[in-house]
Amino acid sequence: MIVDCAIYEGGRRRNGGVDLHDAYSACRRDGNFAWIGMYEPTEEEFDSLRREFDLHPLAVEDAIHAHQRPKLEVFEGMVFIVLKTARYVDPKEVVEIGEILIFLGADYILTVRHGKASALKPVREALESEPELLKHGPGAVLHAIVDRVVDDYTPALEGLGVDIEEVENEVFSRDRSNPAERIYRLKREVLEFNRATAPLVEPIDRLARGHYEHVHPEVRAYFRDVNDHLMRVHEQLESYRDLLTSILGANLAQVTVQQNSDVRRISAIVAIVAVPTAIAGIYGMNFEHMPELGWTFGYPLVLGVMVAICAFLYRFFRRAGWL
Amino acid sequence: MIVDCAIYEGGRRRNGGVDLHDAYSACRRDGNFAWIGMYEPTEEEFDSLRREFDLHPLAVEDAIHAHQRPKLEVFEGMVFIVLKTARYVDPKEVVEIGEILIFLGADYILTVRHGKASALKPVREALESEPELLKHGPGAVLHAIVDRVVDDYTPALEGLGVDIEEVENEVFSRDRSNPAERIYRLKREVLEFNRATAPLVEPIDRLARGHYEHVHPEVRAYFRDVNDHLMRVHEQLESYRDLLTSILGANLAQVTVQQNSDVRRISAIVAIVAVPTAIAGIYGMNFEHMPELGWTFGYPLVLGVMVAICAFLYRFFRRAGWL
Amino acid sequence: MIVDCAIYEGGRRRNGGVDLHDAYSACRRDGNFAWIGMYEPTEEEFDSLRREFDLHPLAVEDAIHAHQRPKLEVFEGMVFIVLKTARYVDPKEVVEIGEILIFLGADYILTVRHGKASALKPVREALESEPELLKHGPGAVLHAIVDRVVDDYTPALEGLGVDIEEVENEVFSRDRSNPAERIYRLKREVLEFNRATAPLVEPIDRLARGHYEHVHPEVRAYFRDVNDHLMRVHEQLESYRDLLTSILGANLAQVTVQQNSDVRRISAIVAIVAVPTAIAGIYGMNFEHMPELGWTFGYPLVLGVMVAICAFLYRFFRRAGWL
Amino acid sequence: MIVDCAIYEGGRRRNGGVDLHDAYSACRRDGNFAWIGMYEPTEEEFDSLRREFDLHPLAVEDAIHAHQRPKLEVFEGMVFIVLKTARYVDPKEVVEIGEILIFLGADYILTVRHGKASALKPVREALESEPELLKHGPGAVLHAIVDRVVDDYTPALEGLGVDIEEVENEVFSRDRSNPAERIYRLKREVLEFNRATAPLVEPIDRLARGHYEHVHPEVRAYFRDVNDHLMRVHEQLESYRDLLTSILGANLAQVTVQQNSDVRRISAIVAIVAVPTAIAGIYGMNFEHMPELGWTFGYPLVLGVMVAICAFLYRFFRRAGWL
Amino acid sequence: MIVDCAIYEGGRRRNGGVDLHDAYSACRRDGNFAWIGMYEPTEEEFDSLRREFDLHPLAVEDAIHAHQRPKLEVFEGMVFIVLKTARYVDPKEVVEIGEILIFLGADYILTVRHGKASALKPVREALESEPELLKHGPGAVLHAIVDRVVDDYTPALEGLGVDIEEVENEVFSRDRSNPAERIYRLKREVLEFNRATAPLVEPIDRLARGHYEHVHPEVRAYFRDVNDHLMRVHEQLESYRDLLTSILGANLAQVTVQQNSDVRRISAIVAIVAVPTAIAGIYGMNFEHMPELGWTFGYPLVLGVMVAICAFLYRFFRRAGWL
């Protein structure tokens, strides 16, 4: 589906509706460029674009089927970029990964979005209010999109951060809980998120170093800034990974302690009860000569002894930390 | 065993049966090349090829005995490539590793397959329907084979992915199960699979960067695409490895909890039963002066007390989470 | 908030109050430079500086909002440096991370501090007492600040070191304690601290190698020294990380042993008490023909046997290490 | 001890006994070279060689005392190589590490062997039957030796592989076993083996790339092959290391499960027995008014109830998986 | 404290006492150099040296306060080297780290030692007996010192190795022991030792490659040898680190097994004793109609049954491995 198709002349959007054919011809003129935005396009929708801009069939195939690694590839006269978008879905504690694929030529930029995250409409609106930036050509659009995608990593990262803190509290709380599954699922998300972002570091760095002609030198400093944010995301994810490994170990210790202390307490109760049972057993023996049995206060005395021993054991176990 | 032997003239297969000697002479002509496919050949079967194409004895030895690391080696006038094929055998949860070894010259390509995975017949048929591609010479065949081999990694990877999900569910289910062995076996497969694919990354990258003369510049972009798929396989395997390590740890926590909670419950039953035993013991003592024994309702009263205490203990243990 | 604004002429501070406009004009003169210090400035406070020194908008935005990665960036005619400051807050066992951002030009240095750590006033005073150093221009100021920041890592590092030793003693003491949470929290701090310092290594190294023109060659050797301290911090943190992982494992062993030995002791008590209970049960049976029951010393004899068996069991369990 | 001393003229061994002095003079002639093989030589035995070939004192010291890291060093006019040999001693499950040190000059090769592994006699015999190879000079001998040493790693590797499989079976069998020690010892062997082989990768790679003049270009391809085998050994060892770490974790899970299930079963027996004990205690009470005691079938009824309860508990525990 | 001050003329020590001022002037002459050795000098003691040899204030500060990372720095006309010395203190199982700092100029070498390890007196004596070496100037002295320091790592390494073997035996012995603390402390020592030696690898390598003019080419091969020893120390330490991590895991398995088997045995005793208790309880019931009670041999029969059941259980538990 073609979402929007616009021509920018000297940084300003040409008024009125523009169809693809207008775009093809208009963007050839100096200082002009076209930005055509698509959302999960079909092969047919892409066909005219492919022919007009002479796009490489491999890049086109990638754009239609998505599920690529983040990458930046150079074909003659064209740069092809794959970005992964991320959106945190809280109730499921899942990072949903989408994809934006960009074809960047001297006088055009084609954007293909898959999945829900990082809509490009606000990016377009923000850019259109800054003609100075748009004058730098499609490279400025590329920057704005990459910037947006990387900025959108932050809420996903924070969502994970909040969940990790929750899981920490769960692990170290006094409740009898075993959040091993939750820890594991979070780790899984962190790994997947990292796989979506880590391969981007190197291409963005190359953009920042100005290896590509379609990117105006003015824009390079901005890519450096994006790269910096990306590095922060990457470092944070590495740190999350390490933390989740540690917390899995800590959880095992907590669970072992909790479980064992329960068994210990129950055993202590059994031990305390066993003693009066033994004493009662003794006075339940049928020997003919057991002087205590004839004593008037034998019974209450023995009861007293039982209570005393139980009380003593209780205090002893308490002090030993067994109860 | 020589499976197929064909001559391609300007991208089209020469009709009719071709024997080895035709191939030797025909491929010398401009624009022609020969593709000779073998399956687990013997030394004798290889002998004529070796002499005709002046193959390096080390490469020939590798091709016959297989069990090589994935690699790309350059001998004068020839590139020798070893690929590992993968096939997922589901009931055994095993990744079966095979091998394809390729000799690539200016006007010939020899392919030697070992093991069951990644048959080359469909590759040949697909190529023969695209003469435009075949015109680029044996390098195009090389690409088609590598592409096929790497594409065939995907189902193996997915098979492992499904098994990992199953094992996750098993670990975190409420069933009393200990899938440590299955986790370990999966990890073993992941490591072996990685050993079969990781060394390929660098040679494919070199192919994509166009270091070899036998590979037509047009084909290079396609190798870049293959390299990308390979990287994805590699990253996914690294991620599986990490996940399986985590799940082994999580499994230990789950198993500890499950096992301990069983012991705790049984101990709680013992503790509950111990109390009426103790009381009964007391009233089984033979003291002469035990007033309760003479009471008309002493017996039911004591029974009631026993039941009450057991009920209380039961509720108390329940609330403490011990039952 | 602008904290201090001074002009240095040939290494000496110009007397009397200097406002921003004096600074702008004075620093243009040869051998002069301005040092303007700010603390968490607002956008408005920054505005005049931005225009006067023609600062890059991205750097300005970073300076105002902070929360950047440590980095060193070069804009035309200006070097922009982000440093992370660290302060150990003992009762909370937390490393508080602050930030200092520096704009370094040929004739000016702007410092922007966020957070509590590493106040710059003492740095300024120390520098002003060494005009020889200040003569080397703003690069000398940069060194003094970086040096201070890195020196301030040491107490934070030592604070962590002391806590790690405490936690070690806790783990290996005979007390029944499970410092898993504390270990985990320390690890978290170590990771965060490392994330604040590790990215600094490479930029400081570049400063030491003399890649930047604003830094006087004389000052470079000093940066090498700073880099060395930074490396030590980094290596120490890596070592802490490794130690904390080990101690988490050791803690699990300690806790398991402690917990199990409690259960073992309680079970041993139950086992010892069970034996007299069984014997008493035997002599409580109601058989008509039980000769022992008629013996005059039957009762004390049985009591003696009970005591003897208990004593034997006690010694036996002791020797087996079960009590 | 000097094991063998031979002169090769145009690839063929000169007939008859050759003593050291013949070798010194003969090898100077064009196309000739000497191969002198030693086994754990003393300083005295080495002295004449040292003077004649002008060997560097450091290399000589290494050759006599052995216990070096695998390495390749270039002294003027001479290459000095240290190889580690490996031999698997099965009953002890130990990889025995030996050492071969080689001095390679333009017209001589001196080999010094320490330890039992990788005897050089068969290497010499095999080479002498291929004069074509020997014509390439002492570099061909070097290759043959390195090839032999690296080939001999395979059986050692396989020995470890078999042991790892055995230990896997032991861990996952239903037997009550704890092969933690065996796992650990195997890991120790793997680490030591890796330490003996990993440093060799880089020098062999340099030999394959043709950095050294004494190695005939023809021989380089062969070194590439050796390097490949070495890489396979290295990757396999890395994989073993990873597997052994996993198996240590899996073993802990298995052992925990096995041990706990024993305790659970015994506790269940105690719980089942506790119930009839309690019931018997109740009917052992001495209340005057216990109507059941007077019933004719009271006794068998109670016995029946006891058996019924025990049977019920047994089935209940069975179903809960506690027995 | 100045320990020794000597002038070497053409490799031979000038006779008689030499004070600092003689040294200053004498070492300027061709072929002469001064070696001044200090032990933990104060700032005052250093002052004259600093002025005479024009030492960089940063290096001087380092030399007086020590506690530096191992490093090699070049100041104009001078190389400054920091070495860490190691000494194994057996009863405490601690590696004591000391420091040697060296100033190397064209005609002087100043050595500053801190801590107890690696005294330099024997190094000086050994060198003075080899004038040929000393002729190569202060670089030869540098080599001798570095060689000594690195050689002294070996006993420390061996001390750790012996302790690791002891701890292995402790872990896998049948004794009830939990050497978790000892393992952890050893790991701590290994990490600290590694931190003292690892940063040295790169500077020594640079010395071996001949980057520094003050080091005579002849001496470079010797530095290569030192580097090799250093690498061996480094690899061994890495291997120790890995082993200690494994042994911590193995220890957990051992301790779990040991602890659980104790609990299992005690529980089995309780279970065995519970059975006769239950039987005795049955015959202690007060039913009027219990025919067995009237049997003449009822009592011994029941006793026999009890013994038989206990014996049976004992054998059953034995066979099940529970006792």
Side-chain angles (χ1 to χ4, degrees), chain A residues 209-243:
Chain A
R209 285 165 193 276
H211 285 273
Y212 305 106
E213 46 181 328
H214 303 330
V215 179
H216 194 279
E218 279 289 289
V219 182
R220 279 171 206 163
Y222 291 87
F223 274 112
R224 228 156 51 184
D225 194 61
V226 170
N227 200 27
D228 229 66
H229 286 122
L230 193 61
M231 282 302 293
R232 217 165 55 199
V233 169
H234 182 61
E235 285 168 7
Q236 186 73 65
L237 284 172
E238 282 299 317
S239 160
Y240 281 169
R241 180 155 79 152
D242 205 338
L243 282 176

Tab-separated table of all heavy atoms in Angstrom, chain A residues 209-243:
chain	number	residue	atom	x	y	z
A	209	ARG	N	30.482	8.578	9.401
A	209	ARG	CA	31.821	8.881	8.917
A	209	ARG	C	31.786	9.394	7.484
A	209	ARG	O	32.838	9.694	6.920
A	209	ARG	CB	32.704	7.633	8.962
A	209	ARG	CG	33.134	7.293	10.368
A	209	ARG	CD	33.691	5.893	10.429
A	209	ARG	NE	33.824	5.472	11.796
A	209	ARG	CZ	34.868	5.753	12.573
A	209	ARG	NH1	35.864	6.461	12.090
A	209	ARG	NH2	34.906	5.343	13.824
A	210	GLY	N	30.571	9.442	6.922
A	210	GLY	CA	30.444	10.071	5.607
A	210	GLY	C	30.942	9.249	4.452
A	210	GLY	O	31.589	9.757	3.542
A	211	HIS	N	30.661	7.939	4.473
A	211	HIS	CA	31.107	7.111	3.372
A	211	HIS	C	30.184	7.204	2.152
A	211	HIS	O	30.529	6.717	1.106
A	211	HIS	CB	31.184	5.643	3.808
A	211	HIS	CG	32.361	5.347	4.668
A	211	HIS	ND1	33.578	5.020	4.161
A	211	HIS	CD2	32.510	5.356	6.011
A	211	HIS	CE1	34.427	4.812	5.149
A	211	HIS	NE2	33.810	5.013	6.289
A	212	TYR	N	29.020	7.802	2.319
A	212	TYR	CA	28.040	7.728	1.236
A	212	TYR	C	27.757	9.110	0.651
A	212	TYR	O	27.490	10.057	1.373
A	212	TYR	CB	26.762	7.070	1.751
A	212	TYR	CG	27.096	5.742	2.349
A	212	TYR	CD1	27.088	5.567	3.725
A	212	TYR	CD2	27.525	4.700	1.537
A	212	TYR	CE1	27.472	4.355	4.268
A	212	TYR	CE2	27.900	3.498	2.066
A	212	TYR	CZ	27.874	3.318	3.436
A	212	TYR	OH	28.266	2.138	3.966
A	213	GLU	N	27.752	9.184	-0.651
A	213	GLU	CA	27.633	10.477	-1.299
A	213	GLU	C	26.236	11.095	-1.161
A	213	GLU	O	26.081	12.307	-1.156
A	213	GLU	CB	27.996	10.347	-2.787
A	213	GLU	CG	27.312	9.143	-3.423
A	213	GLU	CD	27.685	8.969	-4.894
A	213	GLU	OE1	27.927	9.973	-5.574
A	213	GLU	OE2	27.715	7.814	-5.351
A	214	HIS	N	25.206	10.233	-1.031
A	214	HIS	CA	23.852	10.784	-0.980
A	214	HIS	C	23.558	11.490	0.339
A	214	HIS	O	22.502	12.059	0.513
A	214	HIS	CB	22.801	9.678	-1.183
A	214	HIS	CG	22.983	8.931	-2.460
A	214	HIS	ND1	23.531	9.516	-3.582
A	214	HIS	CD2	22.697	7.649	-2.808
A	214	HIS	CE1	23.596	8.621	-4.540
A	214	HIS	NE2	23.112	7.488	-4.116
A	215	VAL	N	24.475	11.364	1.287
A	215	VAL	CA	24.232	11.976	2.585
A	215	VAL	C	25.043	13.263	2.681
A	215	VAL	O	26.271	13.242	2.621
A	215	VAL	CB	24.597	10.989	3.718
A	215	VAL	CG1	24.364	11.636	5.062
A	215	VAL	CG2	23.773	9.712	3.579
A	216	HIS	N	24.343	14.378	2.787
A	216	HIS	CA	24.949	15.704	2.852
A	216	HIS	C	25.890	15.804	4.062
A	216	HIS	O	25.537	15.353	5.153
A	216	HIS	CB	23.809	16.738	2.965
A	216	HIS	CG	24.265	18.132	2.697
A	216	HIS	ND1	24.898	18.896	3.638
A	216	HIS	CD2	24.170	18.905	1.590
A	216	HIS	CE1	25.174	20.080	3.133
A	216	HIS	NE2	24.738	20.117	1.882
A	217	PRO	N	27.081	16.408	3.879
A	217	PRO	CA	28.035	16.483	4.995
A	217	PRO	C	27.422	17.070	6.273
A	217	PRO	O	27.730	16.623	7.380
A	217	PRO	CB	29.141	17.405	4.438
A	217	PRO	CG	29.064	17.273	2.961
A	217	PRO	CD	27.631	16.971	2.627
A	218	GLU	N	26.533	18.041	6.127
A	218	GLU	CA	25.874	18.654	7.293
A	218	GLU	C	25.147	17.618	8.142
A	218	GLU	O	25.005	17.757	9.355
A	218	GLU	CB	24.805	19.666	6.810
A	218	GLU	CG	25.321	21.020	6.417
A	218	GLU	CD	25.790	21.819	7.608
A	218	GLU	OE1	24.921	22.243	8.387
A	218	GLU	OE2	27.011	22.025	7.752
A	219	VAL	N	24.632	16.589	7.464
A	219	VAL	CA	23.788	15.595	8.144
A	219	VAL	C	24.627	14.598	8.924
A	219	VAL	O	24.152	13.948	9.850
A	219	VAL	CB	22.893	14.890	7.088
A	219	VAL	CG1	21.969	13.877	7.741
A	219	VAL	CG2	22.072	15.909	6.320
A	220	ARG	N	25.924	14.500	8.567
A	220	ARG	CA	26.761	13.465	9.181
A	220	ARG	C	26.851	13.594	10.695
A	220	ARG	O	26.782	12.606	11.416
A	220	ARG	CB	28.165	13.522	8.575
A	220	ARG	CG	28.195	12.810	7.254
A	220	ARG	CD	29.497	13.024	6.536
A	220	ARG	NE	29.298	12.890	5.107
A	220	ARG	CZ	30.131	13.319	4.188
A	220	ARG	NH1	31.239	13.948	4.546
A	220	ARG	NH2	29.894	13.155	2.923
A	221	ALA	N	27.014	14.818	11.178
A	221	ALA	CA	27.113	15.028	12.622
A	221	ALA	C	25.866	14.491	13.312
A	221	ALA	O	25.926	13.958	14.420
A	221	ALA	CB	27.280	16.510	12.927
A	222	TYR	N	24.743	14.617	12.621
A	222	TYR	CA	23.503	14.114	13.212
A	222	TYR	C	23.501	12.592	13.288
A	222	TYR	O	22.968	12.007	14.227
A	222	TYR	CB	22.302	14.633	12.409
A	222	TYR	CG	22.101	16.116	12.568
A	222	TYR	CD1	22.758	17.023	11.758
A	222	TYR	CD2	21.281	16.597	13.590
A	222	TYR	CE1	22.605	18.380	11.929
A	222	TYR	CE2	21.107	17.958	13.763
A	222	TYR	CZ	21.767	18.861	12.933
A	222	TYR	OH	21.595	20.191	13.120
A	223	PHE	N	24.088	11.968	12.287
A	223	PHE	CA	24.179	10.506	12.350
A	223	PHE	C	25.075	10.061	13.496
A	223	PHE	O	24.843	9.040	14.124
A	223	PHE	CB	24.686	9.931	11.018
A	223	PHE	CG	23.587	9.696	10.035
A	223	PHE	CD1	23.485	10.439	8.875
A	223	PHE	CD2	22.618	8.734	10.287
A	223	PHE	CE1	22.457	10.232	7.977
A	223	PHE	CE2	21.593	8.501	9.390
A	223	PHE	CZ	21.505	9.265	8.232
A	224	ARG	N	26.117	10.848	13.768
A	224	ARG	CA	26.981	10.541	14.900
A	224	ARG	C	26.180	10.513	16.184
A	224	ARG	O	26.383	9.658	17.053
A	224	ARG	CB	28.074	11.605	14.991
A	224	ARG	CG	29.431	11.013	15.154
A	224	ARG	CD	30.482	11.940	14.674
A	224	ARG	NE	30.314	13.269	15.261
A	224	ARG	CZ	31.063	14.321	14.956
A	224	ARG	NH1	32.040	14.186	14.074
A	224	ARG	NH2	30.864	15.482	15.508
A	225	ASP	N	25.266	11.476	16.287
A	225	ASP	CA	24.401	11.538	17.461
A	225	ASP	C	23.510	10.300	17.557
A	225	ASP	O	23.353	9.706	18.630
A	225	ASP	CB	23.548	12.806	17.358
A	225	ASP	CG	22.880	13.134	18.664
A	225	ASP	OD1	23.596	13.360	19.650
A	225	ASP	OD2	21.640	13.133	18.712
A	226	VAL	N	22.942	9.890	16.414
A	226	VAL	CA	22.103	8.697	16.392
A	226	VAL	C	22.922	7.478	16.818
A	226	VAL	O	22.481	6.662	17.631
A	226	VAL	CB	21.520	8.473	14.977
A	226	VAL	CG1	20.850	7.111	14.886
A	226	VAL	CG2	20.531	9.569	14.632
A	227	ASN	N	24.114	7.393	16.295
A	227	ASN	CA	24.978	6.266	16.611
A	227	ASN	C	25.237	6.190	18.108
A	227	ASN	O	25.277	5.107	18.697
A	227	ASN	CB	26.317	6.416	15.875
A	227	ASN	CG	27.037	5.092	15.770
A	227	ASN	OD1	26.385	4.052	15.769
A	227	ASN	ND2	28.351	5.121	15.719
A	228	ASP	N	25.387	7.358	18.692
A	228	ASP	CA	25.592	7.421	20.117
A	228	ASP	C	24.411	6.855	20.891
A	228	ASP	O	24.580	6.114	21.864
A	228	ASP	CB	25.778	8.887	20.488
A	228	ASP	CG	26.967	9.051	21.339
A	228	ASP	OD1	28.065	8.804	20.831
A	228	ASP	OD2	26.769	9.379	22.512
A	229	HIS	N	23.223	7.221	20.448
A	229	HIS	CA	22.039	6.671	21.115
A	229	HIS	C	21.973	5.161	20.937
A	229	HIS	O	21.631	4.421	21.860
A	229	HIS	CB	20.764	7.312	20.555
A	229	HIS	CG	20.575	8.710	21.015
A	229	HIS	ND1	20.460	9.766	20.150
A	229	HIS	CD2	20.507	9.250	22.253
A	229	HIS	CE1	20.320	10.884	20.839
A	229	HIS	NE2	20.350	10.600	22.110
A	230	LEU	N	22.310	4.733	19.744
A	230	LEU	CA	22.288	3.307	19.455
A	230	LEU	C	23.277	2.556	20.343
A	230	LEU	O	22.972	1.491	20.887
A	230	LEU	CB	22.643	3.105	17.978
A	230	LEU	CG	22.366	1.720	17.425
A	230	LEU	CD1	20.893	1.393	17.521
A	230	LEU	CD2	22.808	1.655	15.975
A	231	MET	N	24.458	3.130	20.501
A	231	MET	CA	25.471	2.515	21.359
A	231	MET	C	24.940	2.406	22.779
A	231	MET	O	25.196	1.426	23.474
A	231	MET	CB	26.743	3.375	21.386
A	231	MET	CG	27.608	3.241	20.173
A	231	MET	SD	28.137	1.544	19.889
A	231	MET	CE	29.204	1.304	21.333
A	232	ARG	N	24.218	3.448	23.214
A	232	ARG	CA	23.680	3.397	24.579
A	232	ARG	C	22.681	2.258	24.710
A	232	ARG	O	22.679	1.529	25.706
A	232	ARG	CB	23.038	4.730	24.935
A	232	ARG	CG	23.282	5.077	26.384
A	232	ARG	CD	22.985	6.507	26.659
A	232	ARG	NE	21.640	6.835	26.245
A	232	ARG	CZ	21.219	8.070	26.028
A	232	ARG	NH1	22.042	9.082	26.140
A	232	ARG	NH2	19.989	8.293	25.686
A	233	VAL	N	21.824	2.118	23.700
A	233	VAL	CA	20.858	1.014	23.707
A	233	VAL	C	21.607	-0.318	23.782
A	233	VAL	O	21.289	-1.191	24.590
A	233	VAL	CB	19.976	1.074	22.442
A	233	VAL	CG1	19.152	-0.206	22.297
A	233	VAL	CG2	19.073	2.287	22.477
A	234	HIS	N	22.613	-0.431	22.946
A	234	HIS	CA	23.377	-1.671	22.875
A	234	HIS	C	24.057	-1.993	24.213
A	234	HIS	O	23.979	-3.119	24.717
A	234	HIS	CB	24.426	-1.517	21.764
A	234	HIS	CG	25.254	-2.728	21.560
A	234	HIS	ND1	24.723	-3.934	21.192
A	234	HIS	CD2	26.583	-2.930	21.694
A	234	HIS	CE1	25.690	-4.823	21.104
A	234	HIS	NE2	26.813	-4.244	21.399
A	235	GLU	N	24.695	-0.995	24.795
A	235	GLU	CA	25.380	-1.218	26.071
A	235	GLU	C	24.385	-1.577	27.178
A	235	GLU	O	24.641	-2.416	28.026
A	235	GLU	CB	26.189	0.023	26.465
A	235	GLU	CG	27.470	0.161	25.646
A	235	GLU	CD	28.110	1.518	25.826
A	235	GLU	OE1	27.645	2.301	26.668
A	235	GLU	OE2	29.088	1.804	25.107
A	236	GLN	N	23.240	-0.896	27.138
A	236	GLN	CA	22.221	-1.186	28.147
A	236	GLN	C	21.724	-2.617	28.000
A	236	GLN	O	21.530	-3.325	28.992
A	236	GLN	CB	21.062	-0.189	27.981
A	236	GLN	CG	20.000	-0.296	29.057
A	236	GLN	CD	20.478	0.249	30.378
A	236	GLN	OE1	20.738	1.434	30.526
A	236	GLN	NE2	20.610	-0.625	31.362
A	237	LEU	N	21.522	-3.052	26.771
A	237	LEU	CA	21.038	-4.414	26.555
A	237	LEU	C	22.068	-5.445	27.015
A	237	LEU	O	21.721	-6.453	27.631
A	237	LEU	CB	20.693	-4.630	25.072
A	237	LEU	CG	19.378	-3.997	24.612
A	237	LEU	CD1	19.241	-4.104	23.093
A	237	LEU	CD2	18.173	-4.653	25.273
A	238	GLU	N	23.336	-5.164	26.741
A	238	GLU	CA	24.392	-6.064	27.209
A	238	GLU	C	24.375	-6.157	28.730
A	238	GLU	O	24.555	-7.222	29.314
A	238	GLU	CB	25.772	-5.562	26.753
A	238	GLU	CG	26.094	-5.843	25.309
A	238	GLU	CD	26.105	-7.321	24.998
A	238	GLU	OE1	26.652	-8.099	25.792
A	238	GLU	OE2	25.525	-7.704	23.959
A	239	SER	N	24.156	-5.002	29.337
A	239	SER	CA	24.125	-4.957	30.785
A	239	SER	C	22.900	-5.706	31.313
A	239	SER	O	22.966	-6.429	32.314
A	239	SER	CB	24.151	-3.497	31.207
A	239	SER	OG	23.681	-3.331	32.489
A	240	TYR	N	21.756	-5.562	30.626
A	240	TYR	CA	20.552	-6.314	31.021
A	240	TYR	C	20.815	-7.809	30.945
A	240	TYR	O	20.401	-8.572	31.806
A	240	TYR	CB	19.371	-5.969	30.107
A	240	TYR	CG	18.690	-4.661	30.419
A	240	TYR	CD1	17.752	-4.105	29.553
A	240	TYR	CD2	18.964	-3.970	31.596
A	240	TYR	CE1	17.126	-2.903	29.825
A	240	TYR	CE2	18.357	-2.767	31.869
A	240	TYR	CZ	17.435	-2.236	30.988
A	240	TYR	OH	16.826	-1.051	31.273
A	241	ARG	N	21.479	-8.195	29.874
A	241	ARG	CA	21.744	-9.609	29.697
A	241	ARG	C	22.552	-10.153	30.850
A	241	ARG	O	22.236	-11.201	31.423
A	241	ARG	CB	22.504	-9.816	28.391
A	241	ARG	CG	22.797	-11.264	28.155
A	241	ARG	CD	22.978	-11.552	26.716
A	241	ARG	NE	24.284	-11.160	26.264
A	241	ARG	CZ	24.898	-11.748	25.245
A	241	ARG	NH1	24.287	-12.696	24.585
A	241	ARG	NH2	26.079	-11.365	24.861
A	242	ASP	N	23.574	-9.423	31.199
A	242	ASP	CA	24.426	-9.841	32.301
A	242	ASP	C	23.628	-9.891	33.612
A	242	ASP	O	23.724	-10.844	34.397
A	242	ASP	CB	25.596	-8.849	32.408
A	242	ASP	CG	26.813	-9.463	33.064
A	242	ASP	OD1	26.657	-10.445	33.787
A	242	ASP	OD2	27.913	-8.954	32.850
A	243	LEU	N	22.817	-8.843	33.832
A	243	LEU	CA	22.015	-8.781	35.058
A	243	LEU	C	21.047	-9.955	35.133
A	243	LEU	O	20.870	-10.561	36.198
A	243	LEU	CB	21.228	-7.474	35.114
A	243	LEU	CG	22.010	-6.233	35.526
A	243	LEU	CD1	21.125	-5.018	35.445
A	243	LEU	CD2	22.559	-6.392	36.940
